[in-house]
PDB file of all heavy atoms in Angstrom:
ATOM      1  N   ARG A 313      90.370 107.329 110.129  1.00  0.00           N
ATOM      2  CA  ARG A 313      91.323 107.391 111.223  1.00  0.00           C
ATOM      3  C   ARG A 313      90.595 107.653 112.560  1.00  0.00           C
ATOM      4  O   ARG A 313      90.831 106.988 113.566  1.00  0.00           O
ATOM      5  CB  ARG A 313      92.397 108.428 111.039  1.00  0.00           C
ATOM      6  CG  ARG A 313      93.385 108.501 112.203  1.00  0.00           C
ATOM      7  CD  ARG A 313      94.424 109.575 112.013  1.00  0.00           C
ATOM      8  NE  ARG A 313      93.859 110.908 111.816  1.00  0.00           N
ATOM      9  CZ  ARG A 313      93.467 111.727 112.790  1.00  0.00           C
ATOM     10  NH1 ARG A 313      93.464 111.293 114.062  1.00  0.00           N
ATOM     11  NH2 ARG A 313      93.019 112.940 112.542  1.00  0.00           N
ATOM     12  N   LEU A 314      89.665 108.584 112.575  1.00  0.00           N
ATOM     13  CA  LEU A 314      88.939 108.906 113.802  1.00  0.00           C
ATOM     14  C   LEU A 314      88.093 107.706 114.310  1.00  0.00           C
ATOM     15  O   LEU A 314      88.048 107.439 115.446  1.00  0.00           O
ATOM     16  CB  LEU A 314      88.056 110.163 113.577  1.00  0.00           C
ATOM     17  CG  LEU A 314      88.797 111.480 113.466  1.00  0.00           C
ATOM     18  CD1 LEU A 314      87.824 112.574 113.058  1.00  0.00           C
ATOM     19  CD2 LEU A 314      89.531 111.801 114.718  1.00  0.00           C
ATOM     20  N   ARG A 315      87.427 107.016 113.327  1.00  0.00           N
ATOM     21  CA  ARG A 315      86.667 105.814 113.702  1.00  0.00           C
ATOM     22  C   ARG A 315      87.595 104.757 114.302  1.00  0.00           C
ATOM     23  O   ARG A 315      87.300 104.119 115.337  1.00  0.00           O
ATOM     24  CB  ARG A 315      85.912 105.265 112.503  1.00  0.00           C
ATOM     25  CG  ARG A 315      84.674 106.055 112.153  1.00  0.00           C
ATOM     26  CD  ARG A 315      83.810 105.356 111.102  1.00  0.00           C
ATOM     27  NE  ARG A 315      84.537 105.102 109.843  1.00  0.00           N
ATOM     28  CZ  ARG A 315      84.696 106.015 108.872  1.00  0.00           C
ATOM     29  NH1 ARG A 315      84.189 107.230 109.008  1.00  0.00           N
ATOM     30  NH2 ARG A 315      85.343 105.686 107.765  1.00  0.00           N
ATOM     31  N   ALA A 316      88.743 104.553 113.657  1.00  0.00           N
ATOM     32  CA  ALA A 316      89.702 103.591 114.153  1.00  0.00           C
ATOM     33  C   ALA A 316      90.250 103.967 115.529  1.00  0.00           C
ATOM     34  O   ALA A 316      90.416 103.114 116.410  1.00  0.00           O
ATOM     35  CB  ALA A 316      90.852 103.405 113.154  1.00  0.00           C
ATOM     36  N   GLU A 317      90.481 105.252 115.729  1.00  0.00           N
ATOM     37  CA  GLU A 317      90.913 105.701 117.069  1.00  0.00           C
ATOM     38  C   GLU A 317      89.942 105.335 118.156  1.00  0.00           C
ATOM     39  O   GLU A 317      90.304 104.875 119.250  1.00  0.00           O
ATOM     40  CB  GLU A 317      91.181 107.188 117.114  1.00  0.00           C
ATOM     41  CG  GLU A 317      92.500 107.610 116.531  1.00  0.00           C
ATOM     42  CD  GLU A 317      92.748 109.112 116.652  1.00  0.00           C
ATOM     43  OE1 GLU A 317      92.378 109.734 117.648  1.00  0.00           O
ATOM     44  OE2 GLU A 317      93.318 109.663 115.675  1.00  0.00           O
ATOM     45  N   ARG A 318      88.671 105.589 117.865  1.00  0.00           N
ATOM     46  CA  ARG A 318      87.615 105.270 118.893  1.00  0.00           C
ATOM     47  C   ARG A 318      87.564 103.769 119.167  1.00  0.00           C
ATOM     48  O   ARG A 318      87.438 103.374 120.345  1.00  0.00           O
ATOM     49  CB  ARG A 318      86.266 105.736 118.346  1.00  0.00           C
ATOM     50  CG  ARG A 318      86.101 107.233 118.413  1.00  0.00           C
ATOM     51  CD  ARG A 318      84.692 107.692 118.062  1.00  0.00           C
ATOM     52  NE  ARG A 318      84.687 109.062 117.640  1.00  0.00           N
ATOM     53  CZ  ARG A 318      84.490 109.480 116.409  1.00  0.00           C
ATOM     54  NH1 ARG A 318      84.118 108.589 115.463  1.00  0.00           N
ATOM     55  NH2 ARG A 318      84.541 110.730 116.106  1.00  0.00           N
ATOM     56  N   ILE A 319      87.677 102.930 118.125  1.00  0.00           N
ATOM     57  CA  ILE A 319      87.668 101.508 118.287  1.00  0.00           C
ATOM     58  C   ILE A 319      88.872 101.061 119.095  1.00  0.00           C
ATOM     59  O   ILE A 319      88.815 100.280 120.049  1.00  0.00           O
ATOM     60  CB  ILE A 319      87.620 100.763 116.939  1.00  0.00           C
ATOM     61  CG1 ILE A 319      86.271 101.028 116.271  1.00  0.00           C
ATOM     62  CG2 ILE A 319      87.870  99.270 117.098  1.00  0.00           C
ATOM     63  CD1 ILE A 319      86.245 100.599 114.806  1.00  0.00           C
ATOM     64  N   PHE A 320      90.024 101.641 118.734  1.00  0.00           N
ATOM     65  CA  PHE A 320      91.286 101.260 119.389  1.00  0.00           C
ATOM     66  C   PHE A 320      91.257 101.670 120.858  1.00  0.00           C
ATOM     67  O   PHE A 320      91.692 100.859 121.716  1.00  0.00           O
ATOM     68  CB  PHE A 320      92.470 102.001 118.680  1.00  0.00           C
ATOM     69  CG  PHE A 320      93.805 101.383 118.942  1.00  0.00           C
ATOM     70  CD1 PHE A 320      94.256 100.339 118.118  1.00  0.00           C
ATOM     71  CD2 PHE A 320      94.592 101.777 119.979  1.00  0.00           C
ATOM     72  CE1 PHE A 320      95.498  99.799 118.367  1.00  0.00           C
ATOM     73  CE2 PHE A 320      95.809 101.264 120.245  1.00  0.00           C
ATOM     74  CZ  PHE A 320      96.294 100.239 119.450  1.00  0.00           C
ATOM     75  N   GLU A 321      90.751 102.823 121.159  1.00  0.00           N
ATOM     76  CA  GLU A 321      90.677 103.305 122.582  1.00  0.00           C
ATOM     77  C   GLU A 321      89.679 102.440 123.368  1.00  0.00           C
ATOM     78  O   GLU A 321      89.905 102.177 124.559  1.00  0.00           O
ATOM     79  CB  GLU A 321      90.266 104.773 122.621  1.00  0.00           C
ATOM     80  CG  GLU A 321      91.363 105.684 122.191  1.00  0.00           C
ATOM     81  CD  GLU A 321      90.923 107.161 122.016  1.00  0.00           C
ATOM     82  OE1 GLU A 321      89.707 107.406 122.074  1.00  0.00           O
ATOM     83  OE2 GLU A 321      91.785 107.979 121.809  1.00  0.00           O
ATOM     84  N   ARG A 322      88.621 101.975 122.740  1.00  0.00           N
ATOM     85  CA  ARG A 322      87.640 101.178 123.432  1.00  0.00           C
ATOM     86  C   ARG A 322      88.093  99.780 123.741  1.00  0.00           C
ATOM     87  O   ARG A 322      87.818  99.259 124.794  1.00  0.00           O
ATOM     88  CB  ARG A 322      86.325 101.121 122.637  1.00  0.00           C
ATOM     89  CG  ARG A 322      85.252 100.395 123.311  1.00  0.00           C
ATOM     90  CD  ARG A 322      83.927 100.589 122.561  1.00  0.00           C
ATOM     91  NE  ARG A 322      82.858  99.908 123.283  1.00  0.00           N
ATOM     92  CZ  ARG A 322      81.656  99.772 122.897  1.00  0.00           C
ATOM     93  NH1 ARG A 322      81.268 100.330 121.761  1.00  0.00           N
ATOM     94  NH2 ARG A 322      80.733  99.176 123.599  1.00  0.00           N
ATOM     95  N   TYR A 323      88.730  99.127 122.760  1.00  0.00           N
ATOM     96  CA  TYR A 323      89.084  97.706 122.902  1.00  0.00           C
ATOM     97  C   TYR A 323      90.550  97.412 123.146  1.00  0.00           C
ATOM     98  O   TYR A 323      90.930  96.287 123.477  1.00  0.00           O
ATOM     99  CB  TYR A 323      88.602  96.909 121.643  1.00  0.00           C
ATOM    100  CG  TYR A 323      87.140  97.001 121.479  1.00  0.00           C
ATOM    101  CD1 TYR A 323      86.558  97.812 120.486  1.00  0.00           C
ATOM    102  CD2 TYR A 323      86.283  96.323 122.306  1.00  0.00           C
ATOM    103  CE1 TYR A 323      85.190  97.911 120.317  1.00  0.00           C
ATOM    104  CE2 TYR A 323      84.881  96.370 122.145  1.00  0.00           C
ATOM    105  CZ  TYR A 323      84.355  97.176 121.147  1.00  0.00           C
ATOM    106  OH  TYR A 323      83.009  97.251 121.021  1.00  0.00           O
ATOM    107  N   GLY A 324      91.420  98.385 122.983  1.00  0.00           N
ATOM    108  CA  GLY A 324      92.826  98.230 123.298  1.00  0.00           C
ATOM    109  C   GLY A 324      93.594  97.424 122.204  1.00  0.00           C
ATOM    110  O   GLY A 324      93.111  97.231 121.120  1.00  0.00           O
ATOM    111  N   HIS A 325      94.792  97.023 122.551  1.00  0.00           N
ATOM    112  CA  HIS A 325      95.675  96.395 121.612  1.00  0.00           C
ATOM    113  C   HIS A 325      95.116  95.122 120.910  1.00  0.00           C
ATOM    114  O   HIS A 325      95.375  94.917 119.732  1.00  0.00           O
ATOM    115  CB  HIS A 325      97.020  95.977 122.295  1.00  0.00           C
ATOM    116  CG  HIS A 325      97.774  97.192 122.809  1.00  0.00           C
ATOM    117  ND1 HIS A 325      98.877  97.063 123.594  1.00  0.00           N
ATOM    118  CD2 HIS A 325      97.641  98.504 122.550  1.00  0.00           C
ATOM    119  CE1 HIS A 325      99.386  98.240 123.846  1.00  0.00           C
ATOM    120  NE2 HIS A 325      98.652  99.162 123.253  1.00  0.00           N
ATOM    121  N   PRO A 326      94.343  94.267 121.602  1.00  0.00           N
ATOM    122  CA  PRO A 326      93.806  93.095 120.928  1.00  0.00           C
ATOM    123  C   PRO A 326      92.944  93.354 119.735  1.00  0.00           C
ATOM    124  O   PRO A 326      92.707  92.503 118.893  1.00  0.00           O
ATOM    125  CB  PRO A 326      93.044  92.336 122.024  1.00  0.00           C
ATOM    126  CG  PRO A 326      93.670  92.796 123.282  1.00  0.00           C
ATOM    127  CD  PRO A 326      94.100  94.236 123.050  1.00  0.00           C
ATOM    128  N   VAL A 327      92.466  94.621 119.567  1.00  0.00           N
ATOM    129  CA  VAL A 327      91.657  94.916 118.391  1.00  0.00           C
ATOM    130  C   VAL A 327      92.481  94.760 117.098  1.00  0.00           C
ATOM    131  O   VAL A 327      91.910  94.521 116.052  1.00  0.00           O
ATOM    132  CB  VAL A 327      91.081  96.352 118.524  1.00  0.00           C
ATOM    133  CG1 VAL A 327      92.110  97.393 118.170  1.00  0.00           C
ATOM    134  CG2 VAL A 327      89.854  96.485 117.604  1.00  0.00           C
ATOM    135  N   LEU A 328      93.773  94.747 117.215  1.00  0.00           N
ATOM    136  CA  LEU A 328      94.598  94.535 116.029  1.00  0.00           C
ATOM    137  C   LEU A 328      94.525  93.137 115.489  1.00  0.00           C
ATOM    138  O   LEU A 328      94.973  92.876 114.394  1.00  0.00           O
ATOM    139  CB  LEU A 328      96.056  94.923 116.338  1.00  0.00           C
ATOM    140  CG  LEU A 328      96.338  96.410 116.489  1.00  0.00           C
ATOM    141  CD1 LEU A 328      97.735  96.658 117.005  1.00  0.00           C
ATOM    142  CD2 LEU A 328      96.099  97.117 115.181  1.00  0.00           C
ATOM    143  N   LEU A 329      93.928  92.228 116.231  1.00  0.00           N
ATOM    144  CA  LEU A 329      93.622  90.906 115.667  1.00  0.00           C
ATOM    145  C   LEU A 329      92.697  91.044 114.489  1.00  0.00           C
ATOM    146  O   LEU A 329      92.651  90.155 113.602  1.00  0.00           O
ATOM    147  CB  LEU A 329      92.999  89.989 116.683  1.00  0.00           C
ATOM    148  CG  LEU A 329      93.893  89.539 117.840  1.00  0.00           C
ATOM    149  CD1 LEU A 329      93.089  88.912 118.952  1.00  0.00           C
ATOM    150  CD2 LEU A 329      94.998  88.591 117.350  1.00  0.00           C
ATOM    151  N   LEU A 330      91.998  92.176 114.387  1.00  0.00           N
ATOM    152  CA  LEU A 330      91.076  92.440 113.252  1.00  0.00           C
ATOM    153  C   LEU A 330      91.672  93.294 112.175  1.00  0.00           C
ATOM    154  O   LEU A 330      90.976  93.767 111.320  1.00  0.00           O
ATOM    155  CB  LEU A 330      89.797  93.121 113.817  1.00  0.00           C
ATOM    156  CG  LEU A 330      89.038  92.346 114.880  1.00  0.00           C
ATOM    157  CD1 LEU A 330      87.916  93.196 115.413  1.00  0.00           C
ATOM    158  CD2 LEU A 330      88.580  91.007 114.371  1.00  0.00           C
ATOM    159  N   SER A 331      93.020  93.437 112.180  1.00  0.00           N
ATOM    160  CA  SER A 331      93.676  94.285 111.213  1.00  0.00           C
ATOM    161  C   SER A 331      93.556  93.784 109.788  1.00  0.00           C
ATOM    162  O   SER A 331      93.827  94.447 108.830  1.00  0.00           O
ATOM    163  CB  SER A 331      95.143  94.487 111.581  1.00  0.00           C
ATOM    164  OG  SER A 331      95.850  93.218 111.533  1.00  0.00           O
ATOM    165  N   TRP A 332      93.126  92.553 109.651  1.00  0.00           N
ATOM    166  CA  TRP A 332      92.943  91.948 108.299  1.00  0.00           C
ATOM    167  C   TRP A 332      91.640  92.404 107.653  1.00  0.00           C
ATOM    168  O   TRP A 332      91.439  92.199 106.421  1.00  0.00           O
ATOM    169  CB  TRP A 332      92.980  90.445 108.358  1.00  0.00           C
ATOM    170  CG  TRP A 332      91.895  89.876 109.214  1.00  0.00           C
ATOM    171  CD1 TRP A 332      91.927  89.622 110.575  1.00  0.00           C
ATOM    172  CD2 TRP A 332      90.600  89.485 108.808  1.00  0.00           C
ATOM    173  NE1 TRP A 332      90.750  89.124 110.990  1.00  0.00           N
ATOM    174  CE2 TRP A 332      89.890  89.031 109.922  1.00  0.00           C
ATOM    175  CE3 TRP A 332      89.943  89.478 107.557  1.00  0.00           C
ATOM    176  CZ2 TRP A 332      88.556  88.612 109.891  1.00  0.00           C
ATOM    177  CZ3 TRP A 332      88.631  89.051 107.492  1.00  0.00           C
ATOM    178  CH2 TRP A 332      87.985  88.592 108.637  1.00  0.00           C
ATOM    179  N   LEU A 333      90.725  92.958 108.444  1.00  0.00           N
ATOM    180  CA  LEU A 333      89.433  93.314 107.892  1.00  0.00           C
ATOM    181  C   LEU A 333      89.494  94.465 106.826  1.00  0.00           C
ATOM    182  O   LEU A 333      90.329  95.368 106.982  1.00  0.00           O
ATOM    183  CB  LEU A 333      88.485  93.822 108.998  1.00  0.00           C
ATOM    184  CG  LEU A 333      87.960  92.745 109.958  1.00  0.00           C
ATOM    185  CD1 LEU A 333      87.246  93.394 111.125  1.00  0.00           C
ATOM    186  CD2 LEU A 333      87.016  91.820 109.178  1.00  0.00           C
ATOM    187  N   PRO A 334      88.720  94.360 105.793  1.00  0.00           N
ATOM    188  CA  PRO A 334      88.658  95.476 104.858  1.00  0.00           C
ATOM    189  C   PRO A 334      88.147  96.710 105.508  1.00  0.00           C
ATOM    190  O   PRO A 334      87.382  96.658 106.493  1.00  0.00           O
ATOM    191  CB  PRO A 334      87.711  95.006 103.752  1.00  0.00           C
ATOM    192  CG  PRO A 334      87.492  93.553 104.017  1.00  0.00           C
ATOM    193  CD  PRO A 334      87.828  93.298 105.420  1.00  0.00           C
ATOM    194  N   VAL A 335      88.497  97.873 105.064  1.00  0.00           N
ATOM    195  CA  VAL A 335      88.049  99.195 105.475  1.00  0.00           C
ATOM    196  C   VAL A 335      88.588  99.607 106.790  1.00  0.00           C
ATOM    197  O   VAL A 335      89.206 100.667 106.941  1.00  0.00           O
ATOM    198  CB  VAL A 335      86.478  99.315 105.412  1.00  0.00           C
ATOM    199  CG1 VAL A 335      86.069 100.724 105.829  1.00  0.00           C
ATOM    200  CG2 VAL A 335      85.940  98.965 104.055  1.00  0.00           C
ATOM    201  N   VAL A 336      88.421  98.831 107.846  1.00  0.00           N
ATOM    202  CA  VAL A 336      88.859  99.256 109.214  1.00  0.00           C
ATOM    203  C   VAL A 336      90.263  98.732 109.570  1.00  0.00           C
ATOM    204  O   VAL A 336      90.908  99.349 110.384  1.00  0.00           O
ATOM    205  CB  VAL A 336      87.824  98.791 110.272  1.00  0.00           C
ATOM    206  CG1 VAL A 336      87.851  97.318 110.504  1.00  0.00           C
ATOM    207  CG2 VAL A 336      88.012  99.556 111.542  1.00  0.00           C
ATOM    208  N   GLY A 337      90.724  97.714 108.946  1.00  0.00           N
ATOM    209  CA  GLY A 337      92.009  97.109 109.326  1.00  0.00           C
ATOM    210  C   GLY A 337      93.204  98.048 109.129  1.00  0.00           C
ATOM    211  O   GLY A 337      94.036  98.196 110.018  1.00  0.00           O
ATOM    212  N   ASP A 338      93.316  98.650 107.954  1.00  0.00           N
ATOM    213  CA  ASP A 338      94.417  99.540 107.687  1.00  0.00           C
ATOM    214  C   ASP A 338      94.413 100.766 108.610  1.00  0.00           C
ATOM    215  O   ASP A 338      95.469 101.132 109.139  1.00  0.00           O
ATOM    216  CB  ASP A 338      94.438  99.982 106.207  1.00  0.00           C
ATOM    217  CG  ASP A 338      94.757  98.825 105.290  1.00  0.00           C
ATOM    218  OD1 ASP A 338      95.250  97.786 105.741  1.00  0.00           O
ATOM    219  OD2 ASP A 338      94.438  98.946 104.110  1.00  0.00           O
ATOM    220  N   PRO A 339      93.282 101.427 108.835  1.00  0.00           N
ATOM    221  CA  PRO A 339      93.253 102.525 109.807  1.00  0.00           C
ATOM    222  C   PRO A 339      93.697 102.103 111.199  1.00  0.00           C
ATOM    223  O   PRO A 339      94.307 102.841 111.917  1.00  0.00           O
ATOM    224  CB  PRO A 339      91.818 102.986 109.773  1.00  0.00           C
ATOM    225  CG  PRO A 339      91.331 102.620 108.408  1.00  0.00           C
ATOM    226  CD  PRO A 339      91.997 101.318 108.119  1.00  0.00           C
ATOM    227  N   LEU A 340      93.345 100.872 111.620  1.00  0.00           N
ATOM    228  CA  LEU A 340      93.738 100.413 112.940  1.00  0.00           C
ATOM    229  C   LEU A 340      95.256 100.349 113.064  1.00  0.00           C
ATOM    230  O   LEU A 340      95.823 100.711 114.092  1.00  0.00           O
ATOM    231  CB  LEU A 340      93.109  99.011 113.253  1.00  0.00           C
ATOM    232  CG  LEU A 340      91.644  98.990 113.586  1.00  0.00           C
ATOM    233  CD1 LEU A 340      91.174  97.536 113.691  1.00  0.00           C
ATOM    234  CD2 LEU A 340      91.367  99.763 114.842  1.00  0.00           C
ATOM    235  N   THR A 341      95.928  99.854 112.003  1.00  0.00           N
ATOM    236  CA  THR A 341      97.391  99.764 112.093  1.00  0.00           C
ATOM    237  C   THR A 341      98.022 101.168 112.076  1.00  0.00           C
ATOM    238  O   THR A 341      99.031 101.385 112.744  1.00  0.00           O
ATOM    239  CB  THR A 341      97.950  98.899 110.931  1.00  0.00           C
ATOM    240  OG1 THR A 341      97.584  99.424 109.679  1.00  0.00           O
ATOM    241  CG2 THR A 341      97.440  97.456 111.058  1.00  0.00           C
TER     242      THR A 341
END
Side-chain angles (χ1 to χ4, degrees):
R313 180 182 55 83
L314 289 173
R315 284 190 300 278
E317 278 184 38
R318 287 187 202 111
I319 293 169
F320 200 90
E321 287 171 349
R322 183 172 183 183
Y323 298 105
H325 296 171
V327 77
L328 288 171
L329 291 168
L330 302 176
S331 64
W332 62 270
L333 287 171
V335 181
V336 72
D338 294 342
L340 285 173
T341 59

